[in-house]
Amino acid sequence: MLRGMRKASSNWLGKTIMAVVMGVLIISFGIWGIADIFRGFGQSTVAKVGSTEISLNEFRQIYTDRLQQISRQFGRPLTPDQARAFGLDRQVLQQTIAEAALDEEARRIGLGQSDEQIRQLIMNDPNFKGVGGNFDPNRFQAMIRNFGYTEQRYVAEQRKVSLRRQLTGTIGAGLEPSKTLIDVLTRFQNEQRSIDFVKLDAAQAGTIDAPSPEALAAYFEDHKVQFRAPEYRKIAFVVISPEEIGKWSDVSDEDAKKVFEQRKDRLGTPEKRQIHQIVFPNAADAQAARERLVGGMSFEDLGKERGLTASDVDLGLVTKSSLDPAVGDVAFSLPAGEISQPIQGRLGTSIVKVDKIEPGVEANYASLAGDIKREIATERAHVKVADLRDKMEDERGGGSSVIDAAQKLGLTAVTIDAVDRSGRGPNGQPVANIPQGLDVVSQAFNTDVGVDNDSISFKGGYVWYDVLAITPSRDRNLDEVRDQVEARWRQDQIAARLKTKATEMVQKLEQGGKLADEAAALGLKIETATGFKRDDTPAGVPAAVVAAAFRTAKDGVGQTAVTGGSEVIVFRVTDIVDPALDVTSDAAKKLKDSLARSLTEEQVASHVNKLETDIGTTINQAAFAQVTGANQ
């Protein structure tokens, strides 16, 4: 099925449409929240803002796309439970409502955007430019069609986003952080500390004998949940994407050369000339001036007489197309150093002189063939993807499974016999045949066997999937995981012993002992990290130790367990450097800009929250829970 704006919000086209402003709002709204209460109303509506309704299907698509986007950033699927734990469900709802509130406000105050401004925005979008760097109407049409848009719809969405930018851009205008705030944060960010430290590892834990059967059984009973077998699902999916279909080597030279010939003039580098030019009100003045120039007077001196600066007279290196057509024809026919006869142009009568000529470079097919073929292949692939998508949807609508539909269309379906929520198989290793970035696992865990699921957007294409079977989570018995249990028991024993040793060392240091003496007694090497800041990662110093050092006073000592407790670092803070504020430094200026953006975000969030209250916002709690899985 053709997807709307929300389907594209996790890819480049969506980013173009939704813009950076809406991206930062999602954070701010998480702080300010929505003041309105939840109410139940139409079952097919998740929320209503003024006269704008956000349908259940629309919000489901927005929420699904956002989960996929975050999962790709994490490098692993994000489950609905994890998403709710992060508050993502609420944030996405708040962002969607905020956009609707801004749209309502733009309509209320009569804010508008001209057709010409929208046209320029689209034509300047680099995503719609062809090989020569110019706007390509065919590329534009192919791309928006692939994402389910008509030109009219795409333009309308661009207009809405542009109006939102106008509103949010004026809300925080003029906000500036105080000098005190900049000073405090500068000191916080740039404070430097130095430490001496030692590392206690398994060698200092001593020999740990194997546990008795009784001890191991008792440990297993106390930690049984850690060894529980996860729920597994058997899934099948098929991928249709331009990356799979479009192979640039399949494009013939004949086809590529046709495109090359059509764009040849735009693909080469045009000739440029450095030109001096003076414009006169009439031909008589121009002719008299030319005689003086031929007699040895310079263009610069003549320009000064006429009140012109050097930059007014010297046009620099220009192309023929950048000049008045009549002037360009003459200027680009003159040899270097020659002064033209008077030229009648659109703005008056000109005299020009050519000082330097940079020959143009004619486009070469051999050097551009690869780019042209890739572009042609991509456009063809998008068309093929759209065709296969429609056929796949027809097969699915007729009741075919993913595997059956793929076979009918000559596609290859992938079947995974067992995968858990984290994307791992029963052997504990990541499943290998899921393409990187494809969030099919978390989607599969949010549905059931026999459900006809919506397709997933993926790399400009689509993925269809079925859940074929579910193996419920269960408790394992000790015999199944004996080796794992014993390894975990041993790790806990090591961690406990190291913590005891580290605590004893810290107590001695606090009573006046020297780190060198304690290190020598245990055969440890003292290491040093100097001049690091809170966000630094000194070599050999874990982030947890850096954080602990900034919680410790000068000459104070501390301990921090790292790598799951199998290593403990004991440290002493040897120096603290408190920096002075230099308001003229680049760092201070960047901090000021960052704070200004944060203040603007808060101001925008507060304004939008007020808009939502004034306009009237209602949320269907049942529909919201249905989409986010909170009622499962």
Side-chain angles (χ1 to χ4, degrees):
M1 304 286 290
L2 293 176
R3 303 299 182 192
M5 171 64 67
R6 309 305 183 186
K7 190 68 178 177
S9 65
S10 63
N11 50 55
W12 67 264
L13 185 58
K15 291 176 183 175
T16 300
I17 296 171
M18 303 316 299
V20 175
V21 172
M22 292 299 103
V24 298
L25 285 180
I26 202 169
I27 301 173
S28 302
F29 299 150
I31 300 172
W32 290 93
I34 298 176
D36 301 89
I37 62 171
F38 281 89
R39 299 178 184 174
F41 48 99
Q43 291 183 354
S44 62
T45 302
V46 171
K48 185 175 182 180
V49 185
S51 61
T52 300
E53 290 192 359
I54 301 168
S55 71
L56 186 146
N57 288 336
E58 178 185 12
F59 182 70
R60 177 183 287 113
Q61 194 62 64
I62 298 171
Y63 187 61
T64 299
D65 289 343
R66 186 60 177 160
L67 279 181
Q68 293 176 19
Q69 185 181 29
I70 297 295
S71 296
R72 285 192 292 270
Q73 293 172 355
F74 283 171
R76 58 178 297 178
L78 189 68
T79 68
D81 289 342
Q82 291 171 330
R84 290 194 301 275
F86 292 149
L88 183 63
D89 55 343
R90 185 75 175 184
Q91 289 177 358
V92 174
L93 177 64
Q94 289 164 348
Q95 180 187 10
T96 307
I97 289 175
E99 293 169 3
L102 288 171
D103 293 343
E104 287 278 320
E105 176 69 358
R107 284 193 292 270
R108 186 185 68 81
I109 65 178
L111 200 60
Q113 189 87 26
S114 72
D115 292 340
E116 177 59 24
Q117 288 174 312
I118 297 300
R119 189 179 76 87
Q120 289 299 323
L121 282 174
I122 294 173
M123 292 190 68
N124 291 331
D125 189 332
N127 295 295
F128 300 140
K129 292 183 178 180
V131 177
N134 298 315
F135 177 77
D136 187 336
N138 294 327
R139 183 180 179 86
F140 167 70
Q141 292 291 345
M143 287 191 169
I144 66 171
R145 184 171 59 249
N146 183 63
F147 285 96
Y149 300 106
T150 62
E151 181 175 331
Q152 184 177 5
R153 264 192 76 203
Y154 182 77
V155 171
E157 291 292 347
Q158 283 283 53
R159 192 185 304 278
K160 285 165 61 176
V161 170
S162 181
L163 297 180
R164 292 174 197 157
R165 287 177 179 170
Q166 292 183 44
L167 285 171
T168 56
T170 58
I171 293 169
L175 286 175
E176 284 197 8
S178 67
K179 184 176 181 298
T180 301
L181 179 58
I182 296 174
D183 186 19
V184 170
L185 287 178
T186 296
R187 293 178 184 277
F188 180 83
Q189 289 183 351
N190 296 321
E191 178 186 336
Q192 297 180 4
R193 300 210 170 192
S194 300
I195 61 172
D196 290 341
F197 63 96
V198 294
K199 297 179 180 178
L200 285 70
D201 57 24
Q204 281 71 52
T207 302
I208 298 177
D209 296 328
S212 66
E214 293 77 18
L216 191 63
Y219 180 84
F220 175 68
E221 286 300 323
D222 291 340
H223 301 82
K224 183 178 290 188
V225 67
Q226 298 177 14
F227 304 99
R228 183 177 175 83
E231 177 183 320
Y232 289 103
R233 297 204 168 194
K234 181 177 182 179
I235 64 175
F237 65 89
V238 63
V239 179
I240 300 177
S241 70
E243 183 177 340
E244 295 295 324
I245 296 174
K247 304 297 183 182
W248 71 270
S249 58
D250 294 335
V251 178
S252 69
D253 279 319
E254 181 182 357
D255 290 343
K257 285 179 179 178
K258 287 180 182 178
V259 174
F260 173 78
E261 290 299 328
Q262 293 170 359
R263 304 176 183 177
K264 187 175 181 179
D265 293 341
R266 289 181 286 147
L267 296 176
T269 301
E271 177 186 332
K272 292 184 179 180
R273 296 192 171 202
Q274 185 172 15
I275 294 174
H276 280 73
Q277 178 188 27
I278 297 179
V279 181
F280 301 89
N282 54 64
D285 287 352
Q287 186 61 45
R290 182 182 187 279
E291 292 175 1
R292 298 177 67 190
L293 291 169
V294 171
M297 189 176 193
S298 70
F299 264 77
E300 287 78 5
D301 290 340
L302 182 59
K304 288 178 182 178
E305 286 187 3
R306 304 185 66 82
L308 302 174
T309 65
S311 60
D312 293 331
V313 175
D314 187 355
L315 303 184
L317 280 169
V318 296
T319 61
K320 183 177 180 179
S321 62
S322 66
L323 300 174
D324 181 310
V327 175
D329 288 340
V330 174
F332 274 75
S333 63
L334 290 174
E338 187 169 327
I339 299 172
S340 73
Q341 295 291 335
I343 309 165
Q344 185 60 50
R346 289 180 298 191
L347 301 178
T349 306
S350 300
I351 293 178
V352 299
K353 176 186 176 184
V354 177
D355 292 311
K356 179 182 177 182
I357 299 176
E358 285 191 359
V361 178
E362 186 175 348
N364 178 269
Y365 172 75
S367 64
L368 297 171
D371 290 336
I372 294 174
K373 288 183 177 182
R374 277 189 288 272
E375 182 177 346
I376 294 172
T378 298
E379 291 178 0
R380 289 178 179 176
H382 281 301
V383 173
K384 183 66 173 176
V385 164
D387 179 58
L388 287 173
R389 174 198 59 202
D390 293 342
K391 291 180 179 178
M392 189 71 180
E393 289 287 359
D394 289 342
E395 291 293 335
R396 296 286 282 159
S400 294
S401 68
V402 163
I403 294 176
D404 291 341
Q407 288 176 344
K408 289 180 182 178
L409 298 177
L411 302 172
T412 301
V414 176
T415 300
I416 299 174
D417 291 328
V419 61
D420 66 14
R421 289 180 182 272
S422 68
R424 298 177 182 274
N427 62 356
Q429 299 301 312
V431 174
N433 50 352
I434 298 178
Q436 178 142 13
L438 174 57
D439 180 30
V440 69
V441 173
S442 65
Q443 298 294 319
F445 273 84
N446 198 30
T447 183
D448 210 336
V449 175
V451 174
D452 182 7
N453 306 294
D454 291 335
S455 61
I456 304 171
S457 294
F458 179 64
K459 292 185 176 181
Y462 304 89
V463 177
W464 288 264
Y465 65 97
D466 279 337
V467 177
L468 306 180
I470 298 175
T471 303
S473 175
R474 65 177 179 83
D475 285 332
R476 292 187 174 110
N477 59 55
L478 179 56
D479 289 337
E480 290 180 88
V481 290
R482 185 176 299 275
D483 291 343
Q484 298 175 37
V485 175
E486 185 168 347
R488 187 74 60 83
W489 175 88
R490 188 174 297 277
Q491 290 174 4
D492 288 356
Q493 294 296 308
I494 291 173
R497 290 193 185 186
L498 292 181
K499 181 174 177 60
T500 299
K501 282 186 176 292
T503 300
E504 292 173 354
M505 183 182 292
V506 168
Q507 290 173 349
K508 291 178 181 178
L509 295 175
E510 289 175 340
Q511 294 169 5
K514 295 181 179 180
L515 185 60
D517 294 339
E518 297 302 320
L522 293 174
L524 300 174
K525 175 186 175 183
I526 295 181
E527 300 182 61
T528 300
T530 59
F532 58 84
K533 301 177 183 179
R534 296 175 191 270
D535 295 332
D536 289 345
T537 54
V541 183
V545 177
V546 172
F550 276 90
R551 295 193 299 266
T552 306
K554 184 178 179 181
D555 297 324
V557 295
Q559 61 168 301
T560 303
V562 294
T563 61
S566 60
E567 183 178 86
V568 178
I569 293 179
V570 176
F571 65 89
R572 183 189 293 277
V573 177
T574 58
D575 190 27
I576 298 177
V577 178
D578 189 11
L581 172 64
D582 179 6
V583 294
T584 63
S585 67
D586 290 340
K589 292 176 182 178
K590 289 180 181 178
L591 177 60
K592 182 179 179 181
D593 291 342
S594 177
L595 288 171
R597 285 194 297 271
S598 296
L599 290 173
T600 299
E601 290 173 15
E602 291 185 9
Q603 188 77 1
V604 168
S606 180
H607 177 77
V608 173
N609 190 44
K610 181 69 163 52
L611 273 181
E612 293 166 2
T613 302
D614 293 345
I615 294 174
T617 302
T618 50
I619 301 170
N620 185 339
Q621 186 178 25
F624 175 66
Q626 178 183 343
V627 172
T628 60
N631 59 356
Q632 295 180 359

